[in-house]
Amino acid sequence: YSEVRTPLIEDTALFVRPIGGGTDVVDKAMYSFSRHDDELTVRPEGTAGAARAYVEHNVANKEPVSRWYYLGPMFRGERPAKGRYRQFYQAGCELYGDAGPVCDAEMIEMCVRILRELGSEQLEVCINSLGGPGTRERYREVLLAFLRPLAEKLSEDSRRRLEKNPLRVLDSKAEADKAIVASAPSILEVLSEEDTAHFEAVKRHLDALGVAYVVDPRLVRGLDYYTRTLFEIKATSADLGAQSTVCGGGRYDRMVESLGGPSVPAIGLAMGLERL
């Protein structure tokens, strides 16, 4: 992996489009401002800026597969809590140009190895698949049919998200919401044959690499750009306050094209250095 450095400040639209309205990052956490007729945001995460650089510099025409890493500060309007900071540092990796399941497993195994080399032994790897764009739409309808009759029992945040972005309800930290979504239909039940084959292959490669994992169909993560493979790695023995996740990521096969580039598949991860 070679280093990429992106600006701290980018156009607000760069983050709003890929990350998605109805997500906590866009709705609550971004530091945005207007200056000289430009709508600007201090970067809340690293992937969108890297993808913008990939498109702007026509990297797809220079090499078939690109592996990048970055290291630097991100900014989110967090409520003060243990393990959460308004300015925090992330190390992350992005891999462009390979749609296959091998690189999904490569990235997860690499992250586990790094964490173990740093002394974190008690780790739990959680994986899921969101499938392609058709899967998300099919699952949205299935999930809405399940959640609408229970809307009055959901938290205020989840009621707000319900029609706009119902998958985010699965990620709610409210105890009442957790109890409701525990019996919700699984997204794995509506995957296409192609998406199922990809996910099964990811699991086979993780097995071959000796990486233990748990399939968590409630894992959606907080960003809308993800497709297919998702993963989180949790430090199960650490006292990290609000969350135990130290690393997370997934595929975002449509982002490069959505930013005006060619149709290039991609997968990335990020780890919070303070939490780590």
Side-chain angles (χ1 to χ4, degrees), residues 13 43 52 61 110 115 130 136 149 189 199 216 228 240:
R43 67 183 184 193
R52 189 269 312 147
N61 293 331
M110 177 181 69
L115 293 170
L130 289 181
R136 188 183 285 262
E189 297 169 7
F199 191 47
D216 180 3
R228 286 195 167 173
L240 295 173

Side-chain angles (χ1 to χ4, degrees), residues 46-126:
T47 295
R52 189 269 312 147
Y54 182 88
V55 171
E56 185 174 322
H57 296 282
N58 298 311
V59 179
N61 293 331
K62 300 172 185 175
E63 56 189 16
V65 176
S66 301
R67 287 174 168 85
W68 289 355
Y69 79 88
Y70 60 83
L71 177 67
M74 310 294 164
F75 302 83
R76 293 187 188 181
E78 296 282 11
R79 295 172 181 165
K82 185 174 182 180
R84 289 189 176 277
Y85 302 90
R86 295 186 182 97
Q87 175 176 328
F88 58 98
Y89 287 77
Q90 278 188 347
C93 296
E94 315 292 347
L95 193 161
Y96 300 97
D98 191 333
V102 175
C103 62
D104 301 23
E106 166 198 312
M107 190 166 274
I108 294 169
E109 188 275 338
M110 177 181 69
C111 199
V112 169
R113 184 153 34 90
I114 288 170
L115 293 170
R116 285 182 175 153
E117 287 179 4
L118 291 171
S120 186
E121 288 294 336
Q122 292 181 268
L123 302 172
E124 181 181 60
V125 178
C126 299

Side-chain angles (χ1 to χ4, degrees), residues 105-236:
E106 166 198 312
M107 190 166 274
I108 294 169
E109 188 275 338
M110 177 181 69
C111 199
V112 169
R113 184 153 34 90
I114 288 170
L115 293 170
R116 285 182 175 153
E117 287 179 4
L118 291 171
S120 186
E121 288 294 336
Q122 292 181 268
L123 302 172
E124 181 181 60
V125 178
C126 299
I127 63 172
N128 191 25
S129 176
L130 289 181
T135 301
R136 188 183 285 262
E137 286 307 308
R138 286 194 301 275
Y139 186 56
R140 184 181 187 278
E141 295 308 312
V142 170
L143 193 58
L144 278 173
F146 173 81
L147 290 174
R148 277 173 176 152
L150 303 169
E152 291 185 4
K153 299 178 181 178
L154 294 171
S155 68
E156 184 179 345
D157 263 358
S158 288
R159 288 198 300 273
R160 177 177 54 82
R161 291 169 174 155
L162 185 57
E163 297 298 328
K164 191 173 183 180
N165 198 343
L167 269 70
R168 297 295 296 124
V169 178
L170 298 177
D171 202 33
S172 172
K173 302 301 183 285
E175 292 302 322
D177 296 344
K178 287 181 183 179
I180 289 171
V181 302
S183 55
S186 166
I187 193 168
L188 299 177
E189 297 169 7
V190 297
L191 292 182
S192 69
E193 288 186 14
E194 187 179 349
D195 290 332
T196 299
H198 183 276
F199 191 47
E200 291 300 317
V202 172
K203 292 191 283 185
R204 286 198 304 273
H205 289 300
L206 288 174
D207 291 338
L209 289 166
V211 176
Y213 57 86
V214 175
V215 176
D216 180 3
R218 306 284 175 257
L219 176 61
V220 294
R221 296 190 56 76
L223 310 172
D224 274 3
Y225 54 63
Y226 287 123
T227 56
R228 286 195 167 173
T229 307
L230 284 179
F231 61 92
E232 284 187 350
I233 302 175
K234 300 177 182 180
T236 55

